[in-house]
Amino acid sequence: MNHTAYLLLGSNLGNRVAVLHRALVALAEQAGKIVSVSPVYETAAWGLEAQPAFLNQAVHISTALAPEALLDICQQVEQEAGREREEMWGPRTLDVDILLYDDVVLDSPRLVLPHPRLHKRRFALVPLADLAPSLVHPALGQTVQQLLADCPDTLPVEAWMGDL
């Protein structure tokens, strides 16, 4: 049985565009079929703001993997991109977050679904709204578009105008 998952890719170290592209290829090979991808956005860093801007992109995938198995693949793809977990919200070559997985609400030691800060982050909601504006957040009961309209985050999220 296939499941619908929405991921967020982010990179603010190295060749950010190449990192996102390699992550898409790896996810397609290891996690499931990529159904659609959002445009790329350049976004200010959130949480720890004194660092380079990120490129972010939302990804809609169809996967046979269970949530924690998908998390394992996401973390493996991060490691293959040279991700080092040195400080929370610090700079990174690649970050792959599971934003939503079907209508699953999960709170395990390894994974919280939907992503616990999704509704507070414009850098995640803007690209997700490109893919699924009327998707309802299973815990909050609001659409992605409604969450974006009510989002308290005011950090800039701009369409990436660089070469892809």
Side-chain angles (χ1 to χ4, degrees), residues 23-102:
L24 286 172
V25 170
L27 288 166
E29 291 172 353
Q30 301 172 48
K33 180 180 186 272
I34 294 180
V35 176
S36 58
V37 296
S38 76
V40 174
Y41 290 90
E42 188 163 41
T43 65
W46 186 96
L48 186 61
E49 297 177 23
Q51 60 181 306
F54 278 82
L55 289 186
N56 287 109
Q57 184 173 40
V59 181
H60 171 195
I61 68 166
S62 176
T63 183
L65 299 172
E68 290 196 0
L70 179 59
L71 176 64
D72 291 338
I73 295 297
C74 291
Q75 290 177 340
Q76 179 181 322
V77 170
E78 288 176 343
Q79 286 180 336
E80 290 168 1
R83 167 85 187 254
E84 295 178 13
R85 295 179 181 273
E86 294 178 359
E87 65 181 316
M88 191 166 191
W89 299 320
R92 47 209 173 269
T93 52
L94 180 64
D95 189 29
V96 182
D97 287 336
I98 304 172
L99 301 178
L100 297 155
Y101 181 100
D102 289 339

